[in-house]
Structure formats: C-alpha cells, structure tokens
Amino acid sequence: QRLAEAKERDPKNINHLARPAGLKVPATCPETGADLAIGGPIWAEPMHNPAFINVLLEAFEQKRPNGFDASALQAAGLVQGVLLAVSEELHDVPLFYSLPAMCKVLHCTSPPLAKVQSALVNAGYRYSQPHSDPTGIKTDAPPQVMWDMMRAWVKKKPIAKERQQDPKVARILANESATDISFVLTDEVREKMRASNKMGVKKVAKWGVNPEKNWGPKARAAGTHSRQTHKGKGASGEPAAKRTKLDVFKL
C-alpha cells in the first residue's frame, strides 16, 4: 500500500503529496494467521524507461556508422542479457515472488517455471521474470492466487506426512483455494520459451553465469593443530591462561 500519492495541481502543474485514508491491509496474514509487519519504504513506480532500454538494445543489433559500437564492450553479452531481461519485465509491478522461498515454506519440490507461468496466464494474470533473479516471478496476481497455485502443486506432488504436521504448513494447506488453477502450458508461454531458446543460440544470457566450473567461495583453510595458535595458545603450545606473568614479560 502506498503511504502517499502524488497529485497534479492545475494550472501550475505542481505535484503535491496526498496521504491515504488509512491502512487497507488486514492485521494478520490470511494464510498463516501471523501478525503482519509493515516494511519499506520501497520504490513503487516503474524502475526503467522502456523507450530508453529499446534504444540501448538497438545499439547491439545495429552498428551505427561513426557511432558507439555496443558489441565492442568487454562485457557486451552480459550487458545485452540484462537489458533483454529488463525489457521483458512488468514495469508496473514493483516486487516479485521467490519460488524457492515459497517452496521452502511448504517443504515441497519447486514447480517448473513454465508451469507456474502457465497457471498465472490460465487464471487471467500477467507475468514476467525479474532481471535480478532467474527463479523469481513478477505478476499482478494477488498473494492468495500464488498460494492457491502452491496448494494445487502440493496436491500434485504431495509432501511428507511429517512435514504436514508443521502448524504453519498445515494452516496454509488447510485454507480453501478460491482460484481455478491449471498447469497446462499456454501458447503464450510456449512462444516465450521459443524466443528464449533463440537467444540461447545467439549466446545471449539474460542472467550472468559463473565464469568457470565450481566458481565461488572455497572451503576454509585448515592447518595442523599445533599451528592453530588462534585458539588461545602461545608459541610454546601452552594455553594462555596457564602462562605466568614472567612468561608474558619475556614475550
């Protein structure tokens, strides 16, 4: 919910902020019954200028004479991929859902992204992927529809009985679904999948990949016990607490 709204005053075209009448959300979560917490602030307006993004993408497709050659950038593939992901994003939806996070709550397997997208289209809503997370999904569907979809998925792929004993999981699964969920792939989703495959042939990745195999933080360095002096032992191997004052002065 917005905490303020910009309104234009005529004839000077000066914007002013108007406060909302009051909170329009319930005091507790309709899914779990827990108290809702107020978060923010967040930017609720469009984050990107679609016309400007298209101009930048054209710089990769058409080389301008005596102009900027975007393909000559050292990270041209990465930049073009991010711009493609941004151009396909829903610009009027500020936040997105994390499918792994929702699945973690229910302790269930993650549904294929194409099935989630098709379920939203079949229910009459729009969707896109956020440019910052390949496992996330942006949609104008309300939270209840997303949880209705997760309940329908759990019915197809049941979770372990001991997991169902979790009070939070039991409460969410016990709620009655108000949305007719269908995971049948739609033509819209199939077409976008074909377009993504074409981008893959051109070797344009919308999300950056690791530069090499097994790239990332490695295991912590380990040494012999006698060399680990950070555990409170001195060079002689004796605990620091047992050393005499004379030993300390000698150091």
Side-chain angles (χ1 to χ4, degrees), residues 157-225:
K157 304 289 183 180
I159 60 178
K161 291 184 178 181
E162 55 270 19
R163 296 292 192 183
Q164 298 179 16
Q165 303 304 319
D166 186 321
K168 180 168 57 177
V169 175
R171 172 69 183 268
I172 294 175
L173 296 180
N175 291 337
E176 184 178 353
S177 296
T179 311
D180 185 15
I181 299 297
S182 172
F183 292 105
V184 178
L185 290 180
T186 64
D187 294 338
E188 177 182 343
V189 174
R190 292 180 188 273
E191 186 61 32
K192 289 188 177 182
M193 291 174 61
R194 294 191 190 100
S196 297
N197 292 336
K198 291 181 180 179
M199 288 295 101
V201 172
K202 295 181 180 180
K203 298 183 179 180
V204 177
K206 296 180 183 177
W207 293 274
V209 296
N210 293 337
E212 60 182 14
K213 186 178 180 180
N214 300 324
W215 181 85
K218 303 298 189 293
R220 183 178 60 182
T224 60
H225 183 71

Short mmCIF file of all heavy atoms in Angstrom, two decimals, residues 157-225:
data_model
loop_
_atom_site.label_atom_id
_atom_site.label_comp_id
_atom_site.label_asym_id
_atom_site.label_seq_id
_atom_site.Cartn_x
_atom_site.Cartn_y
_atom_site.Cartn_z
N LYS A 157 2.05 -33.00 -6.18
CA LYS A 157 3.31 -33.53 -5.65
C LYS A 157 3.26 -33.46 -4.12
O LYS A 157 3.80 -32.54 -3.52
CB LYS A 157 4.50 -32.73 -6.18
CG LYS A 157 4.59 -32.66 -7.70
CD LYS A 157 5.00 -34.01 -8.28
CE LYS A 157 5.17 -33.92 -9.79
NZ LYS A 157 5.59 -35.22 -10.38
N PRO A 158 2.61 -34.42 -3.47
CA PRO A 158 2.43 -34.34 -2.00
C PRO A 158 3.76 -34.30 -1.26
O PRO A 158 4.76 -34.85 -1.69
CB PRO A 158 1.64 -35.63 -1.68
CG PRO A 158 1.02 -36.04 -2.98
CD PRO A 158 1.97 -35.61 -4.05
N ILE A 159 3.73 -33.63 -0.12
CA ILE A 159 4.90 -33.55 0.73
C ILE A 159 4.83 -34.65 1.79
O ILE A 159 3.79 -35.30 1.97
CB ILE A 159 5.00 -32.17 1.41
CG1 ILE A 159 3.77 -31.91 2.28
CG2 ILE A 159 5.16 -31.08 0.37
CD1 ILE A 159 3.81 -30.59 3.02
N ALA A 160 5.93 -34.88 2.49
CA ALA A 160 5.99 -35.92 3.51
C ALA A 160 4.99 -35.63 4.64
O ALA A 160 4.71 -34.47 4.96
CB ALA A 160 7.40 -36.03 4.07
N LYS A 161 4.46 -36.69 5.24
CA LYS A 161 3.46 -36.52 6.29
C LYS A 161 4.00 -35.76 7.49
O LYS A 161 3.28 -34.98 8.12
CB LYS A 161 2.93 -37.89 6.72
CG LYS A 161 2.10 -38.59 5.65
CD LYS A 161 1.53 -39.90 6.18
CE LYS A 161 0.66 -40.57 5.13
NZ LYS A 161 0.07 -41.84 5.62
N GLU A 162 5.28 -36.01 7.84
CA GLU A 162 5.83 -35.30 9.00
C GLU A 162 5.94 -33.80 8.72
O GLU A 162 5.84 -32.98 9.63
CB GLU A 162 7.20 -35.86 9.37
CG GLU A 162 8.23 -35.86 8.25
CD GLU A 162 8.20 -37.15 7.45
OE1 GLU A 162 7.19 -37.87 7.51
OE2 GLU A 162 9.22 -37.43 6.78
N ARG A 163 6.12 -33.44 7.44
CA ARG A 163 6.16 -32.03 7.10
C ARG A 163 4.78 -31.40 7.22
O ARG A 163 4.64 -30.22 7.54
CB ARG A 163 6.66 -31.85 5.66
CG ARG A 163 8.08 -32.31 5.43
CD ARG A 163 9.08 -31.45 6.15
NE ARG A 163 10.44 -31.71 5.73
CZ ARG A 163 11.50 -31.13 6.26
NH1 ARG A 163 11.35 -30.25 7.24
NH2 ARG A 163 12.73 -31.41 5.82
N GLN A 164 3.73 -32.17 6.98
CA GLN A 164 2.38 -31.64 7.06
C GLN A 164 1.97 -31.33 8.50
O GLN A 164 0.98 -30.65 8.73
CB GLN A 164 1.40 -32.65 6.46
CG GLN A 164 1.64 -32.94 4.99
CD GLN A 164 0.68 -33.96 4.44
OE1 GLN A 164 -0.36 -34.25 5.03
NE2 GLN A 164 1.01 -34.53 3.28
N GLN A 165 2.73 -31.85 9.49
CA GLN A 165 2.42 -31.60 10.89
C GLN A 165 2.89 -30.22 11.34
O GLN A 165 2.51 -29.76 12.42
CB GLN A 165 3.08 -32.68 11.77
CG GLN A 165 2.68 -34.09 11.40
CD GLN A 165 1.17 -34.31 11.43
OE1 GLN A 165 0.48 -33.81 12.33
NE2 GLN A 165 0.66 -35.04 10.46
N ASP A 166 3.72 -29.58 10.54
CA ASP A 166 4.16 -28.23 10.86
C ASP A 166 2.94 -27.32 10.91
O ASP A 166 2.16 -27.26 9.95
CB ASP A 166 5.14 -27.75 9.79
CG ASP A 166 5.75 -26.39 10.13
OD1 ASP A 166 5.04 -25.52 10.66
OD2 ASP A 166 6.95 -26.21 9.85
N PRO A 167 2.71 -26.59 12.03
CA PRO A 167 1.50 -25.75 12.15
C PRO A 167 1.34 -24.75 11.00
O PRO A 167 0.23 -24.55 10.51
CB PRO A 167 1.69 -25.04 13.49
CG PRO A 167 2.61 -25.93 14.27
CD PRO A 167 3.53 -26.55 13.26
N LYS A 168 2.43 -24.13 10.60
CA LYS A 168 2.35 -23.14 9.53
C LYS A 168 1.98 -23.80 8.21
O LYS A 168 1.12 -23.31 7.46
CB LYS A 168 3.68 -22.40 9.39
CG LYS A 168 3.69 -21.34 8.31
CD LYS A 168 4.91 -20.45 8.41
CE LYS A 168 6.19 -21.24 8.34
NZ LYS A 168 7.39 -20.36 8.38
N VAL A 169 2.59 -24.95 7.92
CA VAL A 169 2.29 -25.67 6.68
C VAL A 169 0.85 -26.17 6.70
O VAL A 169 0.12 -26.05 5.70
CB VAL A 169 3.26 -26.85 6.49
CG1 VAL A 169 2.88 -27.67 5.26
CG2 VAL A 169 4.69 -26.34 6.36
N ALA A 170 0.43 -26.71 7.84
CA ALA A 170 -0.93 -27.23 7.95
C ALA A 170 -1.96 -26.12 7.76
O ALA A 170 -3.00 -26.34 7.12
CB ALA A 170 -1.12 -27.90 9.32
N ARG A 171 -1.68 -24.95 8.30
CA ARG A 171 -2.62 -23.82 8.17
C ARG A 171 -2.73 -23.39 6.71
O ARG A 171 -3.83 -23.14 6.20
CB ARG A 171 -2.14 -22.67 9.04
CG ARG A 171 -2.90 -21.36 8.85
CD ARG A 171 -4.34 -21.47 9.38
NE ARG A 171 -5.07 -20.25 9.13
CZ ARG A 171 -5.16 -19.23 9.99
NH1 ARG A 171 -4.52 -19.31 11.15
NH2 ARG A 171 -5.86 -18.17 9.72
N ILE A 172 -1.61 -23.29 6.01
CA ILE A 172 -1.63 -22.84 4.61
C ILE A 172 -2.36 -23.85 3.73
O ILE A 172 -3.18 -23.49 2.88
CB ILE A 172 -0.20 -22.61 4.10
CG1 ILE A 172 0.44 -21.44 4.85
CG2 ILE A 172 -0.19 -22.34 2.60
CD1 ILE A 172 1.89 -21.21 4.49
N LEU A 173 -2.06 -25.13 3.93
CA LEU A 173 -2.68 -26.16 3.09
C LEU A 173 -4.17 -26.33 3.40
O LEU A 173 -4.93 -26.78 2.54
CB LEU A 173 -1.96 -27.49 3.28
CG LEU A 173 -0.49 -27.53 2.82
CD1 LEU A 173 0.10 -28.91 3.06
CD2 LEU A 173 -0.39 -27.15 1.35
N ALA A 174 -4.58 -25.98 4.63
CA ALA A 174 -5.99 -26.15 5.02
C ALA A 174 -6.87 -25.03 4.47
O ALA A 174 -8.09 -25.19 4.40
CB ALA A 174 -6.10 -26.20 6.54
N ASN A 175 -6.25 -23.91 4.08
CA ASN A 175 -7.06 -22.80 3.55
C ASN A 175 -7.71 -23.21 2.23
O ASN A 175 -7.12 -23.90 1.41
CB ASN A 175 -6.17 -21.56 3.33
CG ASN A 175 -5.71 -20.96 4.64
OD1 ASN A 175 -6.34 -21.14 5.68
ND2 ASN A 175 -4.61 -20.24 4.60
N GLU A 176 -8.93 -22.75 2.05
CA GLU A 176 -9.67 -23.10 0.84
C GLU A 176 -9.20 -22.27 -0.34
O GLU A 176 -9.05 -21.05 -0.24
CB GLU A 176 -11.17 -22.87 1.08
CG GLU A 176 -12.04 -23.31 -0.09
CD GLU A 176 -13.51 -23.12 0.20
OE1 GLU A 176 -13.84 -22.77 1.35
OE2 GLU A 176 -14.32 -23.31 -0.72
N SER A 177 -8.94 -22.92 -1.45
CA SER A 177 -8.49 -22.22 -2.65
C SER A 177 -9.68 -21.56 -3.35
O SER A 177 -10.74 -22.17 -3.49
CB SER A 177 -7.79 -23.18 -3.61
OG SER A 177 -6.61 -23.70 -3.02
N ALA A 178 -9.47 -20.33 -3.79
CA ALA A 178 -10.53 -19.58 -4.47
C ALA A 178 -10.23 -19.41 -5.95
O ALA A 178 -10.98 -18.73 -6.65
CB ALA A 178 -10.69 -18.21 -3.81
N THR A 179 -9.15 -20.04 -6.43
CA THR A 179 -8.74 -19.87 -7.83
C THR A 179 -8.70 -21.22 -8.51
O THR A 179 -8.20 -22.20 -7.94
CB THR A 179 -7.35 -19.21 -7.92
OG1 THR A 179 -7.31 -18.06 -7.08
CG2 THR A 179 -7.02 -18.82 -9.35
N ASP A 180 -9.21 -21.28 -9.73
CA ASP A 180 -9.13 -22.50 -10.52
C ASP A 180 -7.75 -22.54 -11.18
O ASP A 180 -7.46 -21.76 -12.09
CB ASP A 180 -10.24 -22.51 -11.58
CG ASP A 180 -10.26 -23.82 -12.36
OD1 ASP A 180 -9.63 -24.79 -11.90
OD2 ASP A 180 -10.89 -23.87 -13.43
N ILE A 181 -6.91 -23.44 -10.71
CA ILE A 181 -5.51 -23.50 -11.16
C ILE A 181 -5.35 -24.60 -12.20
O ILE A 181 -5.76 -25.74 -11.99
CB ILE A 181 -4.56 -23.76 -9.98
CG1 ILE A 181 -4.67 -22.63 -8.95
CG2 ILE A 181 -3.12 -23.88 -10.49
CD1 ILE A 181 -4.26 -21.27 -9.46
N SER A 182 -4.75 -24.24 -13.34
CA SER A 182 -4.44 -25.20 -14.40
C SER A 182 -2.98 -25.01 -14.80
O SER A 182 -2.56 -23.90 -15.15
CB SER A 182 -5.35 -25.00 -15.61
OG SER A 182 -4.93 -25.82 -16.69
N PHE A 183 -2.20 -26.10 -14.76
CA PHE A 183 -0.79 -26.04 -15.11
C PHE A 183 -0.54 -26.40 -16.58
O PHE A 183 0.61 -26.62 -16.98
CB PHE A 183 0.02 -26.99 -14.22
CG PHE A 183 0.07 -26.57 -12.77
CD1 PHE A 183 -0.69 -27.22 -11.81
CD2 PHE A 183 0.87 -25.51 -12.39
CE1 PHE A 183 -0.64 -26.85 -10.48
CE2 PHE A 183 0.92 -25.11 -11.06
CZ PHE A 183 0.17 -25.79 -10.10
N VAL A 184 -1.59 -26.45 -17.38
CA VAL A 184 -1.43 -26.77 -18.80
C VAL A 184 -0.69 -25.63 -19.49
O VAL A 184 -1.04 -24.45 -19.34
CB VAL A 184 -2.81 -26.99 -19.46
CG1 VAL A 184 -2.65 -27.25 -20.96
CG2 VAL A 184 -3.53 -28.15 -18.79
N LEU A 185 0.35 -25.96 -20.25
CA LEU A 185 1.15 -24.94 -20.92
C LEU A 185 0.30 -24.16 -21.93
O LEU A 185 -0.46 -24.75 -22.69
CB LEU A 185 2.34 -25.59 -21.64
CG LEU A 185 3.45 -26.16 -20.74
CD1 LEU A 185 4.55 -26.75 -21.61
CD2 LEU A 185 4.01 -25.10 -19.82
N THR A 186 0.45 -22.86 -21.92
CA THR A 186 -0.29 -22.00 -22.82
C THR A 186 0.57 -21.64 -24.04
O THR A 186 1.80 -21.77 -24.01
CB THR A 186 -0.72 -20.71 -22.10
OG1 THR A 186 0.45 -19.97 -21.73
CG2 THR A 186 -1.54 -21.03 -20.86
N ASP A 187 -0.09 -21.17 -25.09
CA ASP A 187 0.63 -20.76 -26.29
C ASP A 187 1.56 -19.58 -26.00
O ASP A 187 2.66 -19.48 -26.57
CB ASP A 187 -0.36 -20.39 -27.39
CG ASP A 187 -1.16 -21.58 -27.89
OD1 ASP A 187 -0.67 -22.72 -27.70
OD2 ASP A 187 -2.26 -21.39 -28.44
N GLU A 188 1.13 -18.69 -25.12
CA GLU A 188 1.96 -17.52 -24.78
C GLU A 188 3.27 -17.96 -24.14
O GLU A 188 4.35 -17.46 -24.49
CB GLU A 188 1.19 -16.61 -23.82
CG GLU A 188 1.99 -15.41 -23.34
CD GLU A 188 1.22 -14.55 -22.35
OE1 GLU A 188 -0.03 -14.71 -22.28
OE2 GLU A 188 1.85 -13.74 -21.65
N VAL A 189 3.20 -18.91 -23.22
CA VAL A 189 4.41 -19.39 -22.55
C VAL A 189 5.30 -20.15 -23.53
O VAL A 189 6.53 -20.00 -23.53
CB VAL A 189 4.03 -20.28 -21.35
CG1 VAL A 189 5.28 -20.91 -20.73
CG2 VAL A 189 3.27 -19.47 -20.30
N ARG A 190 4.68 -20.96 -24.39
CA ARG A 190 5.47 -21.70 -25.39
C ARG A 190 6.22 -20.75 -26.32
O ARG A 190 7.39 -20.97 -26.64
CB ARG A 190 4.54 -22.60 -26.22
CG ARG A 190 3.92 -23.75 -25.44
CD ARG A 190 3.03 -24.58 -26.36
NE ARG A 190 2.26 -25.56 -25.62
CZ ARG A 190 2.72 -26.79 -25.33
NH1 ARG A 190 3.94 -27.14 -25.71
NH2 ARG A 190 1.96 -27.64 -24.66
N GLU A 191 5.57 -19.66 -26.73
CA GLU A 191 6.20 -18.70 -27.63
C GLU A 191 7.39 -18.03 -26.96
O GLU A 191 8.44 -17.82 -27.58
CB GLU A 191 5.18 -17.67 -28.08
CG GLU A 191 5.69 -16.71 -29.14
CD GLU A 191 6.12 -17.41 -30.42
OE1 GLU A 191 5.51 -18.46 -30.75
OE2 GLU A 191 7.05 -16.91 -31.07
N LYS A 192 7.23 -17.68 -25.70
CA LYS A 192 8.34 -17.04 -24.97
C LYS A 192 9.49 -18.03 -24.76
O LYS A 192 10.66 -17.63 -24.77
CB LYS A 192 7.86 -16.49 -23.64
CG LYS A 192 6.97 -15.26 -23.78
CD LYS A 192 6.67 -14.63 -22.44
CE LYS A 192 5.85 -13.36 -22.61
NZ LYS A 192 5.58 -12.68 -21.32
N MET A 193 9.16 -19.29 -24.58
CA MET A 193 10.21 -20.30 -24.44
C MET A 193 11.00 -20.44 -25.74
O MET A 193 12.23 -20.59 -25.72
CB MET A 193 9.59 -21.64 -24.02
CG MET A 193 9.03 -21.67 -22.61
SD MET A 193 8.15 -23.21 -22.22
CE MET A 193 9.47 -24.42 -22.42
N ARG A 194 10.30 -20.39 -26.88
CA ARG A 194 10.99 -20.46 -28.17
C ARG A 194 11.90 -19.25 -28.35
O ARG A 194 13.02 -19.38 -28.85
CB ARG A 194 9.96 -20.54 -29.30
CG ARG A 194 9.12 -21.80 -29.33
CD ARG A 194 8.34 -21.91 -30.63
NE ARG A 194 7.37 -22.98 -30.58
CZ ARG A 194 6.07 -22.80 -30.35
NH1 ARG A 194 5.61 -21.57 -30.16
NH2 ARG A 194 5.24 -23.83 -30.32
N ALA A 195 11.41 -18.07 -27.96
CA ALA A 195 12.23 -16.87 -28.10
C ALA A 195 13.48 -16.95 -27.22
O ALA A 195 14.56 -16.54 -27.62
CB ALA A 195 11.41 -15.64 -27.73
N SER A 196 13.33 -17.51 -26.01
CA SER A 196 14.48 -17.66 -25.13
C SER A 196 15.48 -18.64 -25.71
O SER A 196 16.70 -18.46 -25.59
CB SER A 196 14.02 -18.13 -23.74
OG SER A 196 13.20 -17.16 -23.13
N ASN A 197 14.99 -19.70 -26.33
CA ASN A 197 15.89 -20.67 -26.96
C ASN A 197 16.68 -20.03 -28.10
O ASN A 197 17.86 -20.33 -28.31
CB ASN A 197 15.10 -21.87 -27.47
CG ASN A 197 14.51 -22.71 -26.35
OD1 ASN A 197 15.02 -22.68 -25.22
ND2 ASN A 197 13.44 -23.43 -26.63
N LYS A 198 16.03 -19.14 -28.85
CA LYS A 198 16.74 -18.44 -29.92
C LYS A 198 17.84 -17.56 -29.35
O LYS A 198 18.92 -17.43 -29.92
CB LYS A 198 15.76 -17.61 -30.74
CG LYS A 198 14.80 -18.43 -31.59
CD LYS A 198 13.87 -17.54 -32.39
CE LYS A 198 12.90 -18.38 -33.23
NZ LYS A 198 11.97 -17.51 -34.01
N MET A 199 17.56 -16.94 -28.20
CA MET A 199 18.58 -16.12 -27.57
C MET A 199 19.75 -16.99 -27.12
O MET A 199 20.90 -16.58 -27.16
CB MET A 199 18.00 -15.38 -26.36
CG MET A 199 17.06 -14.23 -26.72
SD MET A 199 17.87 -12.88 -27.60
CE MET A 199 17.36 -13.23 -29.29
N GLY A 200 19.42 -18.22 -26.69
CA GLY A 200 20.48 -19.13 -26.28
C GLY A 200 21.38 -19.52 -27.45
O GLY A 200 22.60 -19.68 -27.30
N VAL A 201 20.79 -19.65 -28.65
CA VAL A 201 21.59 -19.97 -29.83
C VAL A 201 22.54 -18.82 -30.14
O VAL A 201 23.69 -19.03 -30.56
CB VAL A 201 20.66 -20.23 -31.04
CG1 VAL A 201 21.47 -20.37 -32.32
CG2 VAL A 201 19.83 -21.50 -30.80
N LYS A 202 22.08 -17.58 -29.89
CA LYS A 202 22.94 -16.42 -30.13
C LYS A 202 23.91 -16.19 -28.98
O LYS A 202 24.67 -15.23 -28.99
CB LYS A 202 22.06 -15.17 -30.30
CG LYS A 202 21.18 -15.21 -31.54
CD LYS A 202 20.38 -13.91 -31.65
CE LYS A 202 19.48 -13.92 -32.89
NZ LYS A 202 18.69 -12.67 -32.99
N LYS A 203 23.86 -17.08 -27.97
CA LYS A 203 24.76 -16.99 -26.81
C LYS A 203 24.58 -15.67 -26.05
O LYS A 203 25.54 -15.01 -25.68
CB LYS A 203 26.22 -17.17 -27.23
CG LYS A 203 26.52 -18.53 -27.84
CD LYS A 203 27.98 -18.68 -28.19
CE LYS A 203 28.25 -20.06 -28.77
NZ LYS A 203 29.68 -20.24 -29.11
N VAL A 204 23.32 -15.30 -25.85
CA VAL A 204 22.99 -14.12 -25.05
C VAL A 204 22.26 -14.61 -23.80
O VAL A 204 21.14 -15.10 -23.90
CB VAL A 204 22.12 -13.12 -25.83
CG1 VAL A 204 21.74 -11.95 -24.94
CG2 VAL A 204 22.85 -12.63 -27.06
N ALA A 205 22.91 -14.51 -22.66
CA ALA A 205 22.32 -14.97 -21.41
C ALA A 205 21.68 -13.80 -20.67
O ALA A 205 22.31 -12.74 -20.50
CB ALA A 205 23.38 -15.62 -20.53
N LYS A 206 20.43 -13.96 -20.27
CA LYS A 206 19.75 -12.88 -19.55
C LYS A 206 20.28 -12.73 -18.14
O LYS A 206 20.18 -11.67 -17.54
CB LYS A 206 18.24 -13.14 -19.53
CG LYS A 206 17.58 -13.14 -20.89
CD LYS A 206 16.10 -13.41 -20.76
CE LYS A 206 15.43 -13.47 -22.13
NZ LYS A 206 14.00 -13.81 -22.03
N TRP A 207 20.79 -13.80 -17.57
CA TRP A 207 21.35 -13.76 -16.23
C TRP A 207 22.77 -14.27 -16.28
O TRP A 207 23.06 -15.28 -16.92
CB TRP A 207 20.50 -14.61 -15.26
CG TRP A 207 19.15 -14.02 -15.05
CD1 TRP A 207 18.77 -13.08 -14.16
CD2 TRP A 207 17.96 -14.34 -15.80
NE1 TRP A 207 17.45 -12.78 -14.29
CE2 TRP A 207 16.92 -13.54 -15.28
CE3 TRP A 207 17.68 -15.22 -16.85
CZ2 TRP A 207 15.63 -13.60 -15.78
CZ3 TRP A 207 16.40 -15.26 -17.35
CH2 TRP A 207 15.38 -14.46 -16.80
N GLY A 208 23.66 -13.57 -15.60
CA GLY A 208 25.07 -13.93 -15.64
C GLY A 208 25.34 -15.32 -15.08
O GLY A 208 24.67 -15.77 -14.14
N VAL A 209 26.30 -16.01 -15.66
CA VAL A 209 26.68 -17.35 -15.21
C VAL A 209 28.06 -17.28 -14.57
O VAL A 209 28.80 -16.30 -14.74
CB VAL A 209 26.69 -18.35 -16.39
CG1 VAL A 209 25.30 -18.50 -16.96
CG2 VAL A 209 27.65 -17.88 -17.48
N ASN A 210 28.44 -18.32 -13.84
CA ASN A 210 29.75 -18.36 -13.21
C ASN A 210 30.84 -18.37 -14.28
O ASN A 210 30.71 -19.03 -15.31
CB ASN A 210 29.87 -19.61 -12.34
CG ASN A 210 28.94 -19.56 -11.15
OD1 ASN A 210 28.53 -18.48 -10.73
ND2 ASN A 210 28.62 -20.69 -10.58
N PRO A 211 31.95 -17.67 -14.06
CA PRO A 211 33.00 -17.61 -15.07
C PRO A 211 33.71 -18.92 -15.31
O PRO A 211 34.33 -19.12 -16.35
CB PRO A 211 33.95 -16.55 -14.51
CG PRO A 211 33.70 -16.54 -13.05
CD PRO A 211 32.24 -16.86 -12.88
N GLU A 212 33.66 -19.84 -14.35
CA GLU A 212 34.32 -21.13 -14.51
C GLU A 212 33.62 -22.17 -13.64
O GLU A 212 32.80 -21.84 -12.79
CB GLU A 212 35.79 -21.04 -14.13
CG GLU A 212 36.03 -20.61 -12.70
CD GLU A 212 37.50 -20.47 -12.37
OE1 GLU A 212 38.32 -20.45 -13.29
OE2 GLU A 212 37.83 -20.39 -11.17
N LYS A 213 33.94 -23.43 -13.85
CA LYS A 213 33.33 -24.52 -13.11
C LYS A 213 33.72 -24.46 -11.64
O LYS A 213 34.87 -24.14 -11.30
CB LYS A 213 33.75 -25.86 -13.72
CG LYS A 213 33.04 -27.05 -13.12
CD LYS A 213 33.49 -28.32 -13.81
CE LYS A 213 32.77 -29.55 -13.21
NZ LYS A 213 33.19 -30.81 -13.86
N ASN A 214 32.76 -24.74 -10.75
CA ASN A 214 32.98 -24.74 -9.30
C ASN A 214 33.46 -23.38 -8.80
O ASN A 214 34.21 -23.29 -7.82
CB ASN A 214 33.99 -25.83 -8.90
CG ASN A 214 33.51 -27.21 -9.28
OD1 ASN A 214 32.32 -27.51 -9.22
ND2 ASN A 214 34.43 -28.07 -9.68
N TRP A 215 33.03 -22.31 -9.48
CA TRP A 215 33.43 -20.97 -9.09
C TRP A 215 32.65 -20.52 -7.87
O TRP A 215 31.48 -20.81 -7.72
CB TRP A 215 33.18 -20.00 -10.24
CG TRP A 215 33.58 -18.59 -9.96
CD1 TRP A 215 34.81 -18.03 -10.10
CD2 TRP A 215 32.72 -17.54 -9.48
NE1 TRP A 215 34.78 -16.71 -9.76
CE2 TRP A 215 33.51 -16.38 -9.37
CE3 TRP A 215 31.38 -17.48 -9.15
CZ2 TRP A 215 33.00 -15.16 -8.94
CZ3 TRP A 215 30.86 -16.28 -8.71
CH2 TRP A 215 31.67 -15.14 -8.61
N GLY A 216 33.33 -19.84 -6.95
CA GLY A 216 32.67 -19.33 -5.76
C GLY A 216 33.52 -19.52 -4.52
O GLY A 216 34.70 -19.94 -4.61
N PRO A 217 32.98 -19.23 -3.34
CA PRO A 217 33.75 -19.37 -2.10
C PRO A 217 34.21 -20.82 -1.91
O PRO A 217 33.46 -21.76 -2.11
CB PRO A 217 32.76 -18.95 -1.02
CG PRO A 217 31.74 -18.14 -1.72
CD PRO A 217 31.63 -18.70 -3.10
N LYS A 218 35.45 -20.98 -1.53
CA LYS A 218 36.02 -22.31 -1.29
C LYS A 218 35.96 -22.63 0.21
O LYS A 218 35.58 -21.80 1.04
CB LYS A 218 37.46 -22.37 -1.80
CG LYS A 218 37.61 -22.03 -3.28
CD LYS A 218 36.86 -23.02 -4.15
CE LYS A 218 37.16 -22.83 -5.62
NZ LYS A 218 36.64 -21.56 -6.15
N ALA A 219 36.37 -23.86 0.54
CA ALA A 219 36.36 -24.28 1.93
C ALA A 219 37.38 -23.47 2.74
O ALA A 219 38.41 -23.03 2.20
CB ALA A 219 36.67 -25.77 2.03
N ARG A 220 37.13 -23.30 4.02
CA ARG A 220 38.03 -22.57 4.88
C ARG A 220 39.37 -23.29 5.00
O ARG A 220 39.43 -24.52 5.08
CB ARG A 220 37.41 -22.42 6.27
CG ARG A 220 38.25 -21.59 7.24
CD ARG A 220 37.54 -21.44 8.56
NE ARG A 220 37.28 -22.72 9.19
CZ ARG A 220 36.64 -22.86 10.34
NH1 ARG A 220 36.19 -21.80 10.97
NH2 ARG A 220 36.43 -24.06 10.85
N ALA A 221 40.45 -22.53 5.02
CA ALA A 221 41.79 -23.12 5.12
C ALA A 221 41.92 -23.85 6.44
O ALA A 221 41.48 -23.39 7.49
CB ALA A 221 42.85 -22.04 4.99
N ALA A 222 42.53 -25.04 6.40
CA ALA A 222 42.72 -25.86 7.60
C ALA A 222 44.19 -26.21 7.73
O ALA A 222 44.87 -26.50 6.75
CB ALA A 222 41.89 -27.14 7.51
N GLY A 223 44.69 -26.16 8.97
CA GLY A 223 46.10 -26.50 9.23
C GLY A 223 46.20 -27.50 10.36
O GLY A 223 45.19 -27.98 10.90
N THR A 224 47.41 -27.85 10.74
CA THR A 224 47.61 -28.79 11.83
C THR A 224 47.26 -28.14 13.15
O THR A 224 47.28 -26.91 13.29
CB THR A 224 49.06 -29.26 11.87
OG1 THR A 224 49.90 -28.11 12.06
CG2 THR A 224 49.44 -29.97 10.57
N HIS A 225 46.97 -28.96 14.16
CA HIS A 225 46.53 -28.45 15.45
C HIS A 225 47.62 -27.60 16.11
O HIS A 225 47.34 -26.60 16.77
CB HIS A 225 46.14 -29.61 16.36
CG HIS A 225 45.61 -29.18 17.70
ND1 HIS A 225 44.38 -28.58 17.84
CD2 HIS A 225 46.16 -29.22 18.95
CE1 HIS A 225 44.17 -28.30 19.12
NE2 HIS A 225 45.25 -28.68 19.81
#
